[in-house]
Each structure stands twice: as C-alpha cells, then as structure tokens.
C-alpha cells in the first residue's frame, strides 16, 4: 500500500492492486473566489496542483466523502471518466447522477469491490447549527487481505464516534482531515490541533497521516503549525512514533 498526498483532502492510494482517488479536486490556483464569511479573503485553491493530471485520471476508483467544492470540484466532474466506479454516501447519489457518472456505488453500511471492503462511518462536519448547515459527510474504513486497514476520517471534528470506530475496526493507518477551517463567529468544522491530539491519544501505536492543510482559505491552521505543535518531544510524550504531515505530491510507501 502506498499513499500519495495530492492536495488538501485529495489523495491517491494504491491498495490491494487498485488505484483509488479520494475526494478529487483538480482546479487551478485561485480559480474560485474565497469561501464566504471566513477569516480571510484569499482566492481558492491557495496553491497549484503539483501532481500531473494524467496520474490522477489513471485510476480505477473514486471515493467521495461528500460533495463540497473543496472535496469534489467542477474540474474533477468535467475530467473524470464518467464510467469510473464512484463510491459515495447515499445522500450524494442524485448529485453524481446529475453530473453524468454511470457507475455510482452508494455505501449504506459496507460494500465489497475489487477485493476491498469499504465501510462508511460517522463524520461530524461541525457542531450545532453550523454542523447542521454543513450537511452530511462520511468517513470510510478500507480493508483487504494482506493490506493495512485504513481509516479516512473525512471532514469531522473530534467526536466520541471516532473512538468507537477505532475500537470497532482496529485500523492501522488513520488519514485525518485537519486545518481547523471555520467561518466568522463559528467554531471549527473540521479537526483542529487539539482534536488531532485527542485522536492520537486513543491509540498512539497507530500510523497517523494529517491532510486537508494549506489549500483553502477557511483553513486557519497550517502544516507549519501542525509540525511545531507536534514536536518530537510531544509525540514521544503521547507515545506516537508514526506521524506524517506530507507535502503535496509526497509519496508515503508502506510496502517497505
């Protein structure tokens, strides 16, 4: 298994012989206006796509956690093969059907495709009224024989359900969306640094990959913030020794 961090929540995972694209966003730098009612007015995405489009289009499957523009954008909708297997939450089937995708596979609880079991788990995209306004979002567990079990948290704040998911499915690798995105006068809608720390403490022996950083204007915590806070000394205090904050287009190879 290897993990290519593309940008933001977009990643390319080679798993059980299958190339899986997570939350595709292909737009060019500053193609979209700032997300409204957020702490700064920078256009999105903040950075260029550094992984070649040819690499991102040469995949077997797409997995979508939800359809916000920073997780599935217009350019991905335009360029992806409409016959590709598209795994999604049931609430998004009508949207993807309207986009013209022909092989939409909703996950109510779990499915098995290409010898990979994909289980949908809870994600809490904010709290209170803001969380309600964000709409449904999902995380996923991927498991297959002779591969580590993966847990993509999706867009979620820390919640008791994360502990429950870890204890139920025993993932070996967590891919965690962070960045503390927020609106003016709202709390964060995806994990902040303290949420990440609480997750690490559930089982420090796991491997942690932190993504969803430095790409969209509503995210106020950066890779630099993450690495400064989680110094080697702090990670050692928690008991974590496998902690990654990959750069865009950085490959993590777990076959070694």
């Amino acid at each position: 298994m290897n993990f290519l961090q593309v940008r933001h929540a977009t990643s390319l995972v080679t798993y059980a012989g299958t190339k899986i694209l997570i939350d595709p966003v292909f737009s060019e730098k500053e193609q979209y206006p700032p997300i409204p009612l957020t702490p700064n007015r920078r256009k999105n995405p903040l950075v260029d796509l550094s992984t070649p489009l040819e690499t991102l289009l040469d995949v077997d499957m797409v997995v979508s956690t939800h359809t916000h523009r920073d997780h599935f954008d217009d350019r991905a909708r335009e360029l992806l093969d409409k016959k590709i297997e598209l795994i999604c939450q049931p609430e998004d089937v009508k949207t993807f059907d309207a986009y013209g995708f022909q092989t939409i596979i909703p996950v109510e609880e779990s499915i098995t495709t290409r010898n990979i079991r994909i289980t949908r788990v809870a994600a809490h995209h904010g709290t209170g009224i803001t969380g309600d306004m964000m709409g449904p979002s999902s995380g996923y567990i991927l498991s297959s024989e002779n591969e580590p079990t993966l847990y993509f948290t999706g867009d979620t704040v820390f919640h008791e359900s994360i502990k429950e998911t870890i204890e139920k499915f025993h993932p070996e690798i967590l891919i965690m969306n962070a960045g503390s995105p927020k609106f003016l006068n709202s709390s964060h809608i995806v994990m902040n640094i303290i949420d990440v720390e609480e997750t690490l403490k559930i089982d420090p022996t796991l491997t942690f990959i932190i993504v969803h950083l430095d790409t969209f204007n509503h995210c106020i915590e950066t890779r630099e913030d993450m690495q400064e806070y989680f110094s080697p000394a702090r990670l050692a205090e928690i008991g974590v020794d496998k902690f990654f904050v990959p750069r865009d287009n950085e490959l993590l190879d777990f076959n070694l």
Side-chain angles (χ1 to χ4, degrees):
M1 173 263 176
N2 61 48
F3 176 94
L4 177 68
Q5 170 57 19
V6 176
R7 186 180 58 176
H8 197 53
T10 306
S11 59
L12 177 55
V13 183
T14 303
Y15 189 80
T18 298
K19 290 185 284 187
I20 307 170
L21 185 63
I22 311 293
D23 282 354
V25 172
F26 296 163
S27 48
E28 298 176 353
K29 181 180 178 180
E30 299 183 345
Q31 182 172 338
Y32 299 122
I35 294 172
L37 300 176
T38 50
N40 68 68
R41 300 296 298 164
R42 299 176 65 188
K43 292 182 178 180
N44 293 306
L46 305 179
V47 296
D48 282 319
L49 185 67
S50 54
T51 305
L53 269 175
E54 294 78 7
T55 300
L56 302 178
L57 294 173
D58 182 23
V59 295
D60 304 304
M61 181 193 307
V62 171
V63 173
S64 168
T65 63
H66 63 306
T67 57
H68 290 172
R69 182 182 273 177
D70 64 323
H71 289 258
F72 205 109
D73 72 343
D74 298 342
R75 198 168 185 219
R77 178 178 70 182
E78 174 188 347
L79 295 178
L80 284 167
D81 183 350
K82 296 303 182 291
K83 295 181 180 179
I84 197 166
E85 288 184 30
L86 200 163
I87 312 299
C88 69
Q89 54 186 3
E91 294 89 341
D92 293 335
V93 169
K94 289 183 178 179
T95 297
F96 286 122
D97 183 62
Y99 289 169
F101 288 96
Q102 300 172 27
T103 314
I104 303 166
I105 306 174
V107 183
E108 290 280 357
E109 295 183 359
S110 66
I111 63 163
T112 300
T113 179
R114 298 175 180 265
N115 296 316
I116 302 169
R117 187 169 183 82
I118 301 174
T119 301
R120 188 167 64 94
V121 296
H124 297 267
H125 201 342
T127 57
I129 295 174
T130 303
D132 293 339
M133 291 175 61
M134 297 308 294
S137 180
S138 296
Y140 293 99
I141 299 287
L142 272 62
S143 58
S144 186
E145 187 175 1
N146 300 320
E147 291 282 13
T149 298
L150 310 182
Y151 175 15
F152 289 86
T153 63
D155 271 8
T156 188
V157 295
F158 183 77
H159 187 271
E160 183 66 23
S161 62
I162 293 175
K163 183 174 186 290
E164 294 169 356
T165 296
I166 291 172
E167 292 177 345
K168 179 176 181 179
F169 294 100
H170 306 289
E172 293 150 274
I173 300 175
L174 268 68
I175 299 91
M176 300 167 59
N177 292 4
S180 191
K182 67 186 299 292
F183 299 99
L184 297 174
N185 302 318
S186 86
S187 59
H188 58 290
I189 56 174
V190 178
M191 287 195 198
N192 62 13
I193 283 173
I194 301 305
D195 288 346
V196 171
E197 185 171 40
E198 289 302 308
T199 305
L200 268 56
K201 290 177 179 178
I202 296 170
D203 186 348
T205 67
L206 304 180
T207 297
F208 301 94
I209 302 172
I210 314 301
V211 301
H212 199 270
L213 300 164
D214 295 342
T215 309
F216 279 81
N217 76 295
H218 63 327
C219 292
I220 61 174
E221 293 178 353
T222 66
R223 286 187 180 93
E224 183 178 356
D225 295 331
M226 196 69 60
Q227 291 165 331
E228 181 178 352
Y229 185 88
F230 290 108
S231 64
R234 184 177 290 274
L235 290 173
E237 182 180 343
I238 300 170
V240 171
D241 62 6
K242 291 168 286 191
F243 182 84
F244 302 91
V245 186
R247 300 179 304 275
D248 289 354
N249 205 38
E250 180 177 348
L251 181 69
L252 304 177
D253 190 344
F254 295 96
N255 294 311
L256 303 177

